[in-house]
Amino acid sequence: MKKLLLVLCLLSTTLMAADNNKSIEYTKINSILSLVMNEAESKYIYLNATVKPTNETLKIEDIKLWLSDDNEQKTDILVQQDGVVILPVLTAERAEKTKLNINQPEDMVSLSITTGINPPTEKQVAYRDLFVLLNDSNRFIEKMAGAASWLVPSMDALSFEFESEAFIEIPSKKRSYRFETDDDNKIEIDVKKRLMKENPMMNFSQLPIAMEPVD
């Protein structure tokens, strides 16, 4: 596995026959939201939830979302003009009793929840701030894969991609490290427990355009 990519594509769901609305169990959605928003240590992980019309006759403003539970309580979800939606994190108990509803038939709208990783925006970054991403990645994979998690390799390195030749320097107490880009303008660095504890600054010759955990 060369990349952490958690994408929940909600194109195939059950329909509410009574009003032809799209209704989605909220439990799995809530699990992803909780992982990223409540449990992630890394500030570089982001989450996007978006709706998109799959029929050219439908406009964003025609799409309405709301949460409903067993007590028939209704909570409206704002849909922004670019299709972005802000979904709330619920307790696990409440999420089990909650559904996310869309006021359009299944073949008219898609809803996707995607997590990704932003590269650093500063040329000097503390070692731990970057490599804690591996802890998040492995924890997320374990929870999402469940019983099959033992089949998934552990993420133990970070890969940085640059627009051109670049280097990263890590001046630690014991020794200084220098990593240079390969033919694909990438640098892959294995995590070191000693450096996680010491937490030296990492110096980038230029800002990377992408960063991802790798095994």
Side-chain angles (χ1 to χ4, degrees):
M1 182 183 296
K2 286 297 180 182
K3 169 182 303 190
L4 172 68
L5 178 63
L6 300 180
V7 179
L8 177 60
C9 186
L10 305 176
L11 294 176
S12 179
T13 60
T14 57
L15 297 179
M16 295 176 64
D19 53 13
N20 204 31
N21 284 344
K22 188 175 182 179
S23 176
I24 305 166
E25 300 294 335
Y26 203 65
T27 302
K28 189 170 184 179
I29 297 175
N30 195 69
S31 296
I32 294 176
L33 296 174
S34 182
L35 279 172
V36 175
M37 300 174 69
N38 291 344
E39 299 182 36
E41 297 178 77
S42 174
K43 63 183 180 181
Y44 297 102
I45 295 178
Y46 68 83
L47 181 146
N48 287 330
T50 57
V51 290
K52 180 181 179 180
T54 55
N55 188 299
E56 61 183 14
T57 64
L58 190 67
K59 299 179 180 179
I60 285 290
E61 51 264 35
D62 297 325
I63 302 173
K64 307 297 180 185
L65 276 72
W66 69 95
L67 298 180
S68 61
D69 58 24
D70 293 347
N71 297 323
E72 299 183 357
Q73 291 183 331
K74 179 180 176 182
T75 303
D76 291 328
I77 303 296
L78 176 66
V79 179
Q80 302 179 10
Q81 282 298 312
D82 56 0
V84 172
V85 297
I86 307 299
L87 298 173
V89 180
L90 307 179
T91 63
E93 182 180 3
R94 184 181 172 192
E96 290 181 357
K97 303 175 182 178
T98 301
K99 292 183 179 180
L100 176 64
N101 306 283
I102 304 178
N103 70 330
Q104 300 294 335
E106 182 178 12
D107 59 352
M108 297 286 283
V109 178
S110 68
L111 168 65
S112 64
I113 300 175
T114 307
T115 69
I117 299 165
N118 288 317
T121 56
E122 298 178 341
K123 289 186 178 180
Q124 272 200 334
V125 186
Y127 187 93
R128 192 182 300 122
D129 286 351
L130 289 176
F131 280 88
V132 74
L133 177 62
L134 298 178
N135 296 340
D136 289 335
S137 301
N138 291 322
R139 185 166 62 252
F140 291 0
I141 290 171
E142 181 178 358
K143 287 198 174 185
M144 297 306 295
S149 62
W150 66 276
L151 296 171
V152 183
S154 175
M155 301 295 157
D156 53 16
L158 286 180
S159 175
F160 302 90
E161 182 179 353
F162 299 85
E163 289 184 339
S164 58
E165 291 183 1
F167 64 85
I168 300 173
E169 292 181 335
I170 308 175
S172 71
K173 294 178 180 179
K174 188 174 182 179
R175 57 165 291 192
S176 293
Y177 300 85
R178 180 184 171 97
F179 304 89
E180 299 182 354
T181 47
D182 59 18
D183 293 339
D184 297 320
N185 291 327
K186 292 184 178 182
I187 295 175
E188 185 174 312
I189 304 177
D190 293 334
V191 64
K192 293 184 179 296
K193 292 182 179 179
R194 180 178 63 81
L195 295 183
M196 284 293 284
K197 183 178 181 179
E198 180 184 332
N199 197 29
M201 297 300 292
M202 295 178 61
N203 301 313
F204 292 78
S205 63
Q206 64 175 275
L207 292 176
I209 59 175
M211 174 177 70
E212 64 181 7
V214 293
D215 57 27

